Amino acid sequence: MDSASLMEQLHLEDQDGSFPADATSSSEHESFVTSQSSPDTAEQSGPMVEVRKTDTMGYGLFATQKIPRGTRVVSEKPILQMHDPEYRAQLIERFCTMLSQLSSEEIETLSQLYCNPKVFKEEDRDAILKWYNANSVTDANGQELKGKKRQESRKKTLRRLGCFLTNCSGIVSDGKTGRGVFALFSRINHSCVPNARYGWNETIQRFTVHVSRDLAPDEQVFISYLPLTYDSRATRAEQLEESWGFECACVACSDPASEMARVKMSVLQLLLTSYEQGNKEVPEIMQLEPLKNRGEALLIADQLAKLLISEGLVSMELVKIYRTCSQLSLWLDDLDEATEYAEKALDIEHCLIGPETEHLREGLVGCQYWLEKMQGPEGKPRGLKRRKRDMRRRLNSV
Ligand SMILES: [Zn+2]
């Protein structure tokens, strides 16, 4: 059975989180009190964000007031979480068990999420049927479900599985990787130019969302469902259609200048990656000259960082590029410049993750630890030889 016909059986008219949804009054909304934001955030009165219905995207998360850059607008535990299973059937079995343990409120929240029919596999229906055959299922009053009610419950479970699979995100709990769905985070819509960054913070064991720039009241919070890879519009469209079943209409998907900037970014990234890998795979296809030395690599990395900023892509990718710049500067014995880049990286990391980065200490992944290591004990620079900063420019003009 294909997923479309499977979904026809599921009373799709009862799903209200469809995406894109029919036009609905934007005055209809649910309010959620968000948890406290980062310590550096000003005192807020009332919830900073709330879930509202949008005209074209189903539900979305909106700012209720002006929100400064770097504010943590979401910090939550999953309403449903599962460790990564080995087999799909195992996942279904675990899902059914977990679902039967949720409160009716949590089930309602899960059921309101968008469900992409493409996430289903043929055997999912059979696995759910098998679980229902092996377990007794009760209603809210503890009465065992039988006959038609049991059948309806099974159909709802299948759709809720779809809601989970469409919206789940990676988490690390008790040292194990898994997936979870969330009351607020799972409502946030996609943009290829997101104004927020999301992720599981292992240190505080919560899923957080931080805004990457100032938001105006009533502005929608957007994240990117795709990793930032400077993919072309066509590639992004294909991925979004396949995994989430919608067409993106963000500014980057309608502006040819933005598309050109992404092409340029992908070329710069390609040159840098080739250089890092010893230019073994020189991108001959694009008739590009490989980067010859660290000075050239630093110029390219700096250019890439500037492009990311000009395109509004304040992202973990930018943190990574600044870290690359810092490392290259260090190799060029310019400790001042290496520190400047590391501080820029730390500023963006702080904005996107917050100060709780203990989980990034190992391997100096976190920028704070990188900066500390570079500066040496008591913040004093190690005895590195410093070269004049214009050395890079000289190298470039050769
Ligand atoms: Zn887009």
Side-chain angles (χ1 to χ4, degrees), residues 190 192 236 248 250 253:
H190 164 88
C192 306
R236 297 198 304 271
C248 184
C250 79
C253 287

Side-chain angles (χ1 to χ4, degrees), residues 78 124 178 191 251 342:
D124 292 347
S191 168
V251 61

